[in-house]
Amino acid sequence: MSAVRALLVDPEAPRSLRFGEIPEPEPGPGEALVEVHHASMNYGELRWALHRPIGAVLGYDVAGVVLRAAADGSGPAPGARVVAFSNGTWAERVAVATDALAEVPDALPLADAAALPVVGLTALRTLRAAGSVLGKRVLITGASGGVGRAAVQLARRGGAYVIASVGGAARGEGLRELGADEVVVGLDTVDRPVDVVLENVGGPHLVASWNLLAPGGTIQQIGWAAHDQPAVFPPNSIFSPGPAKSLHSFSDMSRPGPDLAVLVSLAARGELSAEVAWRGSWERVEEAVDALLGRRIPGKAVLDITPEGR
């Protein structure tokens, strides 16, 4: 059986990752075999790496070329440039369900496409769940990260007044250019209620976001960058007269193909920036991990997997 190179979880290795070999993927009837040109890294994947089994292959974001079309006739033909949300993408080849991928327009570099799945799908679907944002005040916390930067662009495109909250002044660079009407450090200077919150921080930030929410408003709770800090709501603090306020969780990444097609179409037309802040060979993976976990880069880190993808 042939093998492919991959990045494997190993608690004894630097940054808990090492190169190794895994069996070549065997696609099921509704799966395409994709040669991986680029894979992007997300903060959450790295933070929880040690909770995964030894030898597991991480990664959700991938862009490359179809080597073998799905046996059931679904999906693109061999040679198609594609982007996908899948599991175990930090490898030379991956089998991907055809409803989890989309073809990439020629105008969009594959490296940019690889940066879109997790952050783009999260931003798109949480905004969609919040309903129309036209004319509404939308607060995005943790706005300097990949999800936040995508959400700023999509919310502005939807007609919202966008408030981007970041952890420090330097983290807010570039957010106005992406469409933020206000860039604030923390939440203390937000002096008017907001209609929608895309909440990426958790902990006390979530409580503060709730207190800023107007009657009838909604919070889409996405991430928990506050690590082990709890969100403690004082007694009666969730009471609000008038239309009900709501708090929703997000984890739905099912059947991402159609929404991936929307995202790459917007990016190809220059209406959505992939915000790639670090890009390099996967041989430099330790550098990429340090940059992401150290919060030294805004946006996404993209690994070049094959020579053709560089």
Side-chain angles (χ1 to χ4, degrees):
M1 179 181 293
S2 59
V4 297
R5 198 169 183 229
L7 280 168
L8 309 177
V9 171
D10 183 350
E12 303 299 321
R15 316 308 186 272
S16 303
L17 294 169
R18 65 171 176 83
F19 284 101
E21 290 190 339
I22 60 173
E24 170 123 8
E26 281 296 329
E31 295 180 329
L33 181 64
V34 175
E35 179 184 69
V36 178
H37 285 199
H38 309 278
S40 73
M41 311 183 82
N42 297 287
Y43 180 85
E45 294 163 339
L46 299 173
R47 180 183 170 196
W48 296 105
L50 289 178
H51 295 269
R52 298 291 301 276
I54 295 174
V57 182
L58 303 182
Y60 296 109
D61 297 340
V62 62
V65 173
V66 174
L67 289 178
R68 189 191 316 160
D72 66 0
S74 63
R81 303 166 74 245
V82 295
V83 62
F85 173 83
S86 191
N87 287 309
T89 63
W90 299 352
E92 292 175 318
R93 287 185 284 281
V94 63
V96 180
T98 54
D99 66 358
L101 57 76
E103 293 198 51
V104 177
D106 290 340
L108 183 66
L110 283 176
D112 287 355
L116 291 173
V118 166
V119 299
L121 289 167
T122 301
L124 179 65
R125 291 186 171 190
T126 50
L127 279 168
R128 185 182 291 151
S132 172
V133 296
L134 181 64
K136 293 185 177 180
R137 288 170 55 83
V138 175
L139 170 64
I140 300 166
T141 68
S144 62
V147 173
R149 288 176 176 269
V152 165
Q153 297 176 75
L154 293 174
R156 181 57 180 269
R157 181 176 174 79
Y161 182 91
V162 181
I163 305 164
S165 171
V166 296
R171 300 284 291 173
E173 292 181 4
L175 288 172
R176 285 191 180 273
E177 290 76 7
L178 292 178
D181 295 284
E182 296 181 35
V183 179
V184 299
V185 176
L187 296 176
D188 290 344
T189 59
V190 181
D191 56 2
R192 290 177 52 202
V194 297
D195 303 296
V196 175
V197 183
L198 268 59
E199 218 294 299
N200 290 285
V201 180
H205 238 71
L206 176 57
V207 179
S209 296
W210 178 267
N211 292 334
L212 287 169
L213 199 60
T218 180
I219 293 179
Q220 303 291 323
Q221 213 290 316
I222 299 168
W224 209 275
H227 299 289
D228 296 329
Q229 296 182 62
V232 180
F233 290 84
N236 298 316
S237 63
I238 61 172
F239 172 80
S240 176
K245 296 160 53 168
S246 60
L247 169 62
H248 299 268
S249 63
F250 173 75
S251 62
D252 180 17
M253 301 295 264
S254 61
R255 297 194 69 255
D259 283 342
L260 284 175
V262 171
L263 293 167
V264 295
S265 178
L266 289 172
R269 298 199 303 266
E271 299 173 17
L272 175 65
S273 169
E275 293 296 285
V276 177
W278 186 100
R279 179 183 169 192
S281 167
W282 68 338
E283 304 289 348
R284 297 165 55 198
V285 64
E286 293 178 23
E287 179 184 333
V289 171
D290 288 345
L292 270 178
L293 292 184
R295 299 294 198 183
R296 295 200 300 272
I297 59 171
K300 296 299 297 291
V302 173
L303 301 175
D304 298 331
I305 306 296
T306 67
E308 294 85 356
R310 294 175 184 164

